[in-house]
Amino acid sequence: MSEAQRIITPRGHQDGIILAKLDEVLSLARSHSQWYLQFGLACCAIEMMATAASRYDLDRFGAMPRATPRQADLIFVSGTVTLKMAEKIKVLWEQMPAPKYAIAMGSCAISGGPYSRHGYSVLKGVDLIIPVDVYVPGCPPRPEALLEGLVLLAEKVKKEKLLSQKFSKKRGGAEK
Amino acid sequence: MKNYFINVWNAFYTALVGLKVTFLHLFIKSVTVKYPLERDKVPANSRMKLEVDWADCIGCKACERACPVQCIHIDTSKALPEDNLAATKNGTARKLLVSNFTIDLSECLYCALCVYPCPEDCINMTPNYEFGKYDRKLLIEQFAPFSDDDRAKRQAFEEELKKKKLAEKAVKTKEKE
Amino acid sequence: MQGIISLFESGLGLPELWAFVIGVVVFSLLIFLFIALFVIVAVWLERKVSAVIQDRWGPMRAGLTIQGELQTIADTVKLLMKEDIIPKPVDKLLFILAPFIVFTATFMVFAGIPLGPNAYSGTFDLGLFYLIAISSLGVIGIVMAGWASNNKWSLYGAMRSVAQIVSYEIPIALILIAVVMYSGSFSVKEIIATQDTGYGIFGWFLFRNPFMFVAAILFLIAGTAENNRTPFDLPESESELIAGFHTEYTGMRFAFFFLAEYANMFVVGVLLAILFLGGYAPIWHVAALADIPVLGWFFGSSGFWIILKAMLVVIIQMWFRWTFPRLRVDQLMYTAWKVLIPFTMAIIVLNGIWMKLFNLI
């Protein structure tokens, strides 16, 4: 690494300072705009609706409901995932465009919950079929708990470096 | 013909009524709880996250048996003299050391069935609802204050003890014969 | 626009053709900037209006203050960074072209909108005719989107959209005739000049006679239907058709539909302002207002007044959206063919009688 490179490359970063800063801004913007898929499974969905309603108001976090997975960034897996529904969740997940996130809401979605030992028709946790970013425990969780999950997700998104990853991949160096 | 005009007028008039209703909401204060800045007050006896006071646990496993989803796991071993276990707040002497007390909060039903059988009131529902995690494994809460090495040592010691007992029993039965 | 072109021609000494091309490009960029700015404000405003009506707070996390004023910018950045999915069974050319055609149609409408007596991009003698003709061009894009998506929801949405827009074009055109009866010209400039009588709001066509007042209300209803907004949002009704004709669109392609929808709202607002609210003529002519340091510049400029009037109509449209439930398809058709068209025809006749009675012809 030459001296000039060292100057524009801050500690720990593989990429230049401009790319890193740009990434920060973009990730900040993305973290404030998570449109969620209108999708509910069980009793947790009732709590999710309550969260979207006036008292808790998901819109404050920039979360807008979208009915089509093509325009959604976020899926709340809210409730018991039966084996039959698991296929549909997988399809919906595959239809969402790339920087996408999933929040598992409630015991059933995280691990099968009350059905984790004896539920013959229940998937034992959605993370078996889709990558879950934030787990919100509760049975069902309070609306505030879901909002906390959203805040946690925003924190996670803020740390992402999509541009740096893309360009470093092109250069054939530095995996994440 | 008369009906038609009445219908049109009704449609127009009722639309105006609707617009008036929504317009009046301009003057109503918003009911939103601005969550990260302010929080709703939750009743003190609400059933949210489980908390265990390890210092009071006598390892009776009543909660483990009561749990309908078997999300509580307790391992006990005989207390050693060097552990210096103090009595619980009810005055019961602790003869067993709880080396492992895990609750899988991702499976928990928050039904509070484990709270009632506890003789020492050491397992409780708290009004804390904010414990979302990035990883499912982090939701398995460990309440015993031991490191994994410690726990392994305990387990090894316990097994040795059991083997010794078995050996002693075997000797005794042989003597009887 | 002529001003800009001549500026390039004489000021920079460019040949005529080059000056024309550069002038057009610069002007288009200005209009695009204006649309983008308007949409950024309007989307945020829409979310705030909905929040107020539902006793909520609305976006508050993105932005410097608690009002979340950077929310739309965050949304735009996010849409830009999304993966661009073109599904396999899609007709690729039409699929890619559709959002741009929808947006271009709206964009072309802006060419006919005057922001002042001299702030034209082009002067048409048939300006009003141009506005109405071009604004219904977007339907082609919507049909293309619905057909190319190879998705039953999209197709249903597109078909509904065509039926709706074709139906609601007619009452709008008939109302235009009622207005033109007064102004005696299709030129936008002429129509506004007729309303600028010096009596302030009493010169507006809105208050010329009771039938014109009804006509304005009908125009607002038909205009709302024209740009597919609630209660006439059948083409993209969420609960029935997922997202209608833009079900399969992601990221930036969807953003163009979004942009066109909100720009259309502005077009309806501007049209209503031109036809009934006196266009860029100020609400009252007071010389003293122009002397106020900063606000005076706004009160003095004609662009301020037309944008203000258009914004008011836009806010009324948002108010509609968060008040009314969606109509059924048959009710939608009933409203267009059995209520709006007979009423507008009656208005034309009554208008003529009124003008004959008061010797206005």
Side-chain angles (χ1 to χ4, degrees), chain B residues 5-49:
Chain B
F5 281 110
I6 289 173
N7 275 343
V8 170
W9 172 250
N10 272 344
F12 183 69
Y13 176 73
T14 46
L16 284 187
V17 171
L19 285 174
K20 186 192 155 202
V21 169
T22 44
F23 182 75
L24 289 180
H25 277 263
L26 256 179
F27 309 105
I28 296 177
K29 229 183 130 207
S30 91
V31 294
T32 309
V33 181
K34 297 189 263 312
Y35 162 72
L37 307 177
E38 59 186 49
R39 287 179 167 87
D40 252 353
K41 219 183 160 198
V42 181
N45 60 350
S46 52
R47 306 202 309 257
M48 308 286 173
K49 193 184 177 191

Side-chain angles (χ1 to χ4, degrees), chain B residues 4-5 7-8 12 15 18-20 22-23 25-26 28-32 34 36-37, chain C residues 52-57 60-61 66 217 221 319-320 322-324 334 338-339 342-343:
Chain B
Y4 169 81
F5 281 110
N7 275 343
V8 170
F12 183 69
L19 285 174
K20 186 192 155 202
T22 44
F23 182 75
H25 277 263
L26 256 179
I28 296 177
K29 229 183 130 207
S30 91
V31 294
T32 309
K34 297 189 263 312
L37 307 177
Chain C
V52 165
I53 284 175
Q54 295 172 352
D55 296 343
R56 291 190 284 121
W57 194 267
M60 75 175 232
R61 302 267 297 167
I66 205 167
I217 292 169
I221 294 170
W319 185 15
F320 277 5
W322 297 101
T323 302
F324 298 128
Y334 186 97
K338 286 191 170 175
V339 180
F343 267 67

Side-chain angles (χ1 to χ4, degrees), chain A residues 23 25-30 32-35 38 52-55 57 59-74 94-100 151 154-155 158 162-163, chain C residues 43 47-48 50-51 54-63 71 73-79 81-88 236-239 241-243 246-251 254 258:
Chain A
D23 249 345
V25 173
L26 294 180
S27 294
L28 186 70
R30 280 192 313 119
H32 281 304
S33 161
Q34 296 293 331
W35 295 356
Q38 277 184 347
S54 295
R55 185 153 178 88
D57 194 7
D59 199 23
R60 286 183 302 130
F61 296 81
M64 223 175 9
R66 300 306 310 177
T68 158
R70 295 280 189 220
Q71 291 151 18
D73 317 280
L74 173 62
E94 295 298 340
Q95 282 176 342
M96 281 159 66
K100 52 188 173 182
V151 173
E155 295 296 322
K158 267 179 210 168
L162 288 185
L163 277 187
Chain C
V43 172
R47 291 172 89 160
K48 278 293 174 189
S50 81
Q54 295 172 352
D55 296 343
R56 291 190 284 121
W57 194 267
M60 75 175 232
R61 302 267 297 167
Q71 184 61 53
I73 295 171
D75 284 341
T76 318
V77 169
K78 184 212 67 185
L79 283 171
M81 294 190 71
K82 288 301 264 189
E83 184 188 1
D84 179 26
I85 296 180
I86 297 176
K88 229 180 188 174
E236 42 194 294
S237 45
E238 287 183 332
S239 47
L241 298 182
I242 304 192
H246 55 70
T247 303
E248 293 286 349
Y249 283 88
T250 57
F254 162 67
F258 213 58

